[in-house]
């Protein structure tokens, strides 16, 4: 039997089928062409991805789960037809909405952000369109509805930024009192089977009618699941343009001034934060080819002790909260490889301080770090980071969100 995970990311969508051993059996990709008619495009992507999979696998699919981008939301009527274009993860509401947020939700709550799902609900209230809506759904909820036909269902990863209380597994009183509370989805654990695929979809795609459609997750949590990290103290550092840390902890930690919050993760908590340092600063000075060549010249056993703070522009939130933090990139040694070593060491120091900050706030001590993103392939950096972090560091065997969502479909979260 097989399990299908589908990732809806920022530039395209992707499907991965795994077997009982989590071995990949098939995959398909779809690139979004433009930003018009988003929901039509999502529907087309979903159907094309499924159709591109081998029929022999489709006939034996046991479960399907879908992840979307966090805080990408839409309003639907009573039969699930979208009433507006969705508001994407990146959409930021106005200052007026931010002021409303502070009146309604507790200070320091994760919804207190211009792009949170709850801020988007307030935006639609302001626009007057909400009175026609029967359902407020996340991208992943709506896509799953296309397969199981159930409206008003979500998961606690997508619902975190809507204001769902993931500690007590209920909506909080301030949200229950909100005038449009009735259109919010019922929330389940990610990867919970909700219903069998509809007869129409089963016939259309030759999928077994017994196939269960599960609740989904968000793209970044799906990528975390893909890494294989699943024990307390295991973490994934993503070194792409910026530096993002995620650590599995026995208790939740939150510190909004540092942008730190926690997702529920079965019986554990997935906590983390994001720094403005990262690969984009390296790219300011070196091409990827130069990064590769210069790294080979670095002797990681001889630290430079150059104490940089690599940033593109002033301002940092995590691990230090200082909107005026200046980039520090001098003194620059004559040798380019030494300069690069200083940059790599400094980013490793910031990563270490990030994990220290999480632990200071009560997170489980760090035991092992997987690495994702463009920086993961640099072996010298891995050695440097091991010296700073004092735990084993290795590349994530897989960073594909669709693969993580296929694992979620197979195993759930607990
Ligand atoms: P994103 O998706 O966040 O834009 P990627 O995960 O694609 O980023 O990673 C791109 C980053 O990886 C670039 O900013 C680049 O500086 C960094 N990078 C690429 N190759 C190397 C390397 N060999 N060593 C260190 N960093 C690298």
């Amino acid at each position: 039997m097989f399990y299908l995970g589908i990732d809806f990311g920022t530039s395209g969508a992707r499907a991965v089928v795994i077997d009982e051993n989590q071995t990949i059996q098939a995959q398909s990709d779809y690139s979004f062409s433009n930003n018009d008619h988003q929901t039509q495009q999502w529907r087309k992507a979903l159907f094309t991805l499924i159709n591109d999979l081998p029929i022999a696998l489709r006939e034996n699919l046991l479960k399907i789960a879908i992840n979307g981008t966090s805080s990408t939301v839409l309003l639907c009527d009573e039969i699930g037809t979208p009433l507006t274009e969705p508001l994407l993860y990146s959409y930021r509401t106005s200052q007026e909405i931010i002021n409303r947020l502070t009146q309604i939700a507790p200070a320091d709550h994760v919804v207190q952000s211009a792009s949170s799902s709850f801020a988007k609900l307030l935006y639609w209230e302001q626009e007057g369109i909400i009175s026609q809506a029967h359902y407020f759904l996340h991208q992943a909820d709506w896509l799953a509805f296309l397969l199981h036909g159930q409206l008003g269902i979500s998961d606690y990863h997508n619902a975190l930024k809507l204001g769902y209380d993931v500690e007590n597994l209920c909506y909080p009183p301030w949200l229950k009192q909100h005038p449009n509370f009735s259109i919010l989805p019922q929330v389940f654990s990610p990867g919970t089977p909700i219903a069998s695929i509809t007869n129409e979809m089963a016939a259309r795609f030759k999928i077994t009618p017994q196939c269960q459609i599960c609740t989904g997750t968000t793209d970044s949590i799906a990528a975390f699941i893909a890494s294989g990290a699943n024990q307390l103290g295991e973490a994934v550092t993503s070194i792409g343009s910026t530096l993002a840390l995620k650590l599995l902890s026995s208790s939740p930690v939150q510190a909004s001034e540092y942008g730190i919050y926690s997702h529920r993760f079965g019986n554990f908590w997935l906590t983390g934060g994001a720094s403005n340092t990262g690969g984009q600063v390296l790219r300011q000075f070196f091409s990827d080819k130069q990064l590769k060549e210069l790294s080979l010249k670095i002797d990681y056993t001889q630290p430079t002790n150059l104490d940089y703070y690599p940033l593109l522009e002033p301002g940092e939130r995590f691990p230090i909260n200082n909107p005026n933090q200046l980039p520090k990139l001098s003194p620059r040694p004559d040798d380019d490889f030494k300069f690069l070593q200083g940059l790599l060491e400094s980013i490793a120091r910031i990563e270490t301080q990030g994990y220290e900050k999480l632990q200071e706030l009560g997170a489980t001590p760090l035991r092992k770090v997987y690495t994702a993103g463009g920086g993961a392939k640099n072996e010298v950096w891995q050695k440097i980071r091991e010296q700073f972090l004092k735990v084993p560091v290795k590349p994530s065997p897989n960073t594909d969100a669709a693969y993580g969502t296929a694992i979620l479909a197979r195993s759930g979260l607990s």
Side-chain angles (χ1 to χ4, degrees), residues 239-242 279-280 282-283 288 291-292 373-375 377-378 381:
I239 315 179
S241 302
T242 56
Q280 60 189 359
L282 302 179
R283 198 162 260 175
D288 286 4
L291 286 174
K292 208 168 157 187
K377 55 188 171 223
N378 189 323
W381 203 359

Side-chain angles (χ1 to χ4, degrees), residues 13-55:
R14 193 172 147 67
V16 166
V17 177
I18 59 169
D19 61 17
E20 290 293 351
N21 300 318
Q22 299 187 182
T23 306
I24 296 173
Q25 296 295 328
Q27 38 204 326
S28 53
D29 288 284
Y30 186 97
S31 293
F32 299 142
S33 48
N34 54 46
N35 285 341
D36 292 342
H37 306 297
Q38 288 282 349
T39 49
Q40 283 175 30
Q41 189 160 205
W42 294 349
R43 185 198 310 257
K44 188 164 174 225
L46 177 68
F47 293 173
T48 309
L49 285 172
I50 295 177
N51 215 33
D52 285 350
L53 297 170
I55 290 189

Side-chain angles (χ1 to χ4, degrees), residues 271-307:
T271 183
S275 161
N276 293 332
T277 194
Q280 60 189 359
V281 187
L282 302 179
R283 198 162 260 175
Q284 190 184 14
F285 298 104
F286 305 112
S287 68
D288 286 4
K289 184 162 172 275
Q290 286 173 315
L291 286 174
K292 208 168 157 187
E293 287 165 5
L294 291 171
S295 295
L296 293 175
K297 296 190 181 171
I298 292 173
D299 177 0
Y300 67 87
T301 62
Q302 304 290 318
T304 63
N305 297 318
L306 289 162
D307 188 27

